[in-house]
């Protein structure tokens, strides 16, 4: 088991388009397990492989209250069932600390394969449907901030770029402090 680092906006690797999984093998199952562990640890209700820099069409989701209903969806596709849309305040592990209302289809038809290669075809609604649409966007290089105004998106980009600079400074300071400690020991 392993926690995987999550790419953050505006990292250009989040813009890559993921390719279909050809073989649902142990490598894919291990990745899906690590993605679930990473998602629960964050914590989040969904994660796309694109977010951990693996550009294959794999997503994991758990929208259950107790976080005990993990779903692995491989080569997922969806289409709207009707034209109804719902607005929901979305967040994203790749856009930490920012939230905004996004409109998504209320009901969708989901097709995918599970981690055992079994075909899945089911209707989804509510938070599950929202999350599927959010995760599919990731596989296509799209982020929820792309639906916001350019002004809002640029404000988010600048704040996250500053956070990333600060994170690097903090890591460097920590490493130097540790090196000093080691030298004294
Ligand atoms: O944890 C997450 N919560 C969430 C809330 C509303 C709409 C979508 C999501 S998905 C997000 C995790 C994530 O970034 N998945 O890509
Ligand atoms: Ni996301």
């Amino acid at each position: 088991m392993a926690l995987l680092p999550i790419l953050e906006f505006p990292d250009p690797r989040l813009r890559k388009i993921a390719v279909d999984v050809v073989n649902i093998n142990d490598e894919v199952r291990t990745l899906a397990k690590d993605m679930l562990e990473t998602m629960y640890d964050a914590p989040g209700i969904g994660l796309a492989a694109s977010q951990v820099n693996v550009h294959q069409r794999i997503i994991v989701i758990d929208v259950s209250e107790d976080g005990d209903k993990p779903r692995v969806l491989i080569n997922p596709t969806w289409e709207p069932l009707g034209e109804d849309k719902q607005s929901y305040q979305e967040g994203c592990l790749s856009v930490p600390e920012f939230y905004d209302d996004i409109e998504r289809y209320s009901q969708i038809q989901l097709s995918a394969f599970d981690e055992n290669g079994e075909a899945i075809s089911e209707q989804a609604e509510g938070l599950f449907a929202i999350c599927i649409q959010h995760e599919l966007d990731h596989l296509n290089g799209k982020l929820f901030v792309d639906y916001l105004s350019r002004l809002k998106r640029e404000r988010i980009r600048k704040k996250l770029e500053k956070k990333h600079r600060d994170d690097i400074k903090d890591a460097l300071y920590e490493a130097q402090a540790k090196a000093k400690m080691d030298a004294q020991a």
Side-chain angles (χ1 to χ4, degrees):
M1 298 286 269
L3 292 179
L4 308 169
I6 298 176
L7 301 178
E8 293 185 0
F9 177 69
D11 193 311
R13 292 172 291 183
L14 287 167
R15 298 308 188 178
K16 289 195 188 181
I17 295 175
V19 299
D20 274 332
V21 173
V22 179
N23 262 320
I24 301 177
N25 54 22
D26 283 345
E27 197 182 334
V28 168
R29 281 183 282 272
T30 299
L31 172 64
K33 275 216 177 80
D34 289 344
M35 285 171 60
L36 279 165
E37 193 189 357
T38 303
M39 178 191 81
Y40 287 126
D41 180 75
I45 58 170
L47 190 71
S50 314
Q51 292 176 277
V52 294
N53 201 27
V54 175
H55 302 283
Q56 298 191 36
R57 303 188 84 83
I58 304 167
I59 66 180
V60 296
I61 296 182
D62 189 341
V63 293
S64 71
E65 263 183 24
D66 296 334
D68 58 354
K69 298 199 166 48
R71 300 287 307 263
V72 176
L73 302 174
I74 298 167
N75 298 346
T77 61
W78 62 269
E79 50 186 283
L81 291 171
E83 269 153 36
D84 256 31
K85 295 198 171 177
Q86 57 185 331
S87 183
Y88 192 85
Q89 190 169 62
E90 295 198 12
C92 180
L93 295 173
S94 296
V95 191
E97 315 272 333
F98 292 91
Y99 304 88
D100 216 321
D101 291 336
I102 304 293
E103 273 200 349
R104 306 274 189 188
Y105 286 103
S106 302
Q107 295 198 308
I108 62 173
Q109 179 73 36
L110 165 70
S111 298
F113 293 91
D114 71 12
E115 66 272 34
N116 301 313
E118 302 282 346
I120 294 168
S121 178
E122 62 184 83
Q123 290 187 17
E125 58 182 25
L127 191 53
F128 187 42
I130 290 169
C131 199
I132 290 165
Q133 290 168 73
H134 176 113
E135 303 311 337
L136 252 296
D137 272 353
H138 276 302
L139 299 183
N140 294 327
K142 197 168 168 100
L143 302 171
F144 87 88
V145 296
D146 299 345
Y147 297 105
L148 305 178
S149 68
R150 186 188 189 120
L151 188 71
K152 277 190 179 176
R153 188 168 51 255
E154 286 302 290
R155 212 189 59 209
I156 293 170
R157 180 177 64 78
K158 289 200 175 99
K159 286 190 178 167
L160 283 178
E161 281 176 341
K162 176 173 187 324
K163 175 177 106 70
H164 298 149
R165 284 197 300 274
D166 291 346
D167 285 350
I168 289 167
K169 275 189 204 153
D170 287 351
L172 188 59
Y173 179 86
E174 288 292 329
Q176 285 171 340
K178 186 178 177 299
K180 240 181 219 165
M181 292 277 283
D182 290 348
Q184 280 166 4

